[in-house]
Amino acid sequence: MILPKIRDPRFITIRRGGSLTDDDHHLLALWAAGCAEHVLGLFEAARPGDLRPRRAIEAARAWVRGEMKMMEARAAGGHAMGAARDLRGAARHAAYAAGQAAVVAHVAAHELGAAAYAIKAARDGAGDAAARQECQWQRDQLPDAIRELVLDDQRLRNDICWSVFEC
């Protein structure tokens, strides 16, 4: 499990009693989609005909644009994670990253799941140096508006995210 036992109110939308604005929720989803897309080739090399992870990434972006309902994006995320079930290694983690990106529409804190699985995919695909490079690439992509929030989330949840955010 990569979600904390106690939900951080910074990742709960204002309308649900937290402090997360819709704009920042959207930025988290877009960042997560970018993280997943960055390693998607590792999945597609193993399963070139399986579009579920790509569709999940597209669903995250469609949700941000208001073209898809949250429940549809969440379902697409589940389908992407289903694509991972019988795989191992980098391809499996890349599919999970895509699934986690899509479910950010439902629970914003899944943003770190997309990033963590992408780093694990990079590590399994090319080693520890590639994982550190992926982690740094992700940080370089963070919009200023959510940068401190995500970096603090990485610090707080690094232990339950396989310590992948040490880059």
Side-chain angles (χ1 to χ4, degrees), residues 66-157:
E67 298 168 358
M68 182 175 285
K69 293 182 179 183
M70 177 277 293
M71 294 296 283
E72 294 170 300
R74 186 176 80 173
H79 293 307
M81 289 185 260
R85 282 195 189 105
D86 66 337
L87 295 172
R88 296 288 173 260
R92 179 183 182 115
H93 296 311
Y96 277 139
Q100 291 285 305
V103 299
V104 170
H106 179 244
V107 174
H110 281 294
E111 103 297 349
L112 223 52
Y117 278 116
I119 292 168
K120 285 182 69 141
R123 178 180 292 148
D124 284 357
D128 289 339
R132 285 188 299 278
Q133 287 175 338
E134 179 63 25
C135 179
Q136 190 57 56
W137 179 87
Q138 291 176 2
R139 288 181 178 179
D140 291 344
Q141 307 313 304
L142 280 167
D144 289 340
I146 60 168
R147 181 175 191 74
E148 290 308 314
L149 174 64
V150 172
L151 293 178
D152 192 47
D153 196 27
Q154 288 180 349
R155 181 187 61 77
L156 293 171
R157 289 201 282 158

Side-chain angles (χ1 to χ4, degrees), residues 32-34 36-38 40 52-62 97-98 101-102:
E37 187 173 51
H38 197 238
L40 183 60
R52 291 176 289 178
R54 181 168 293 282
R55 286 182 182 144
I57 293 167
E58 291 168 0
R61 292 180 173 137

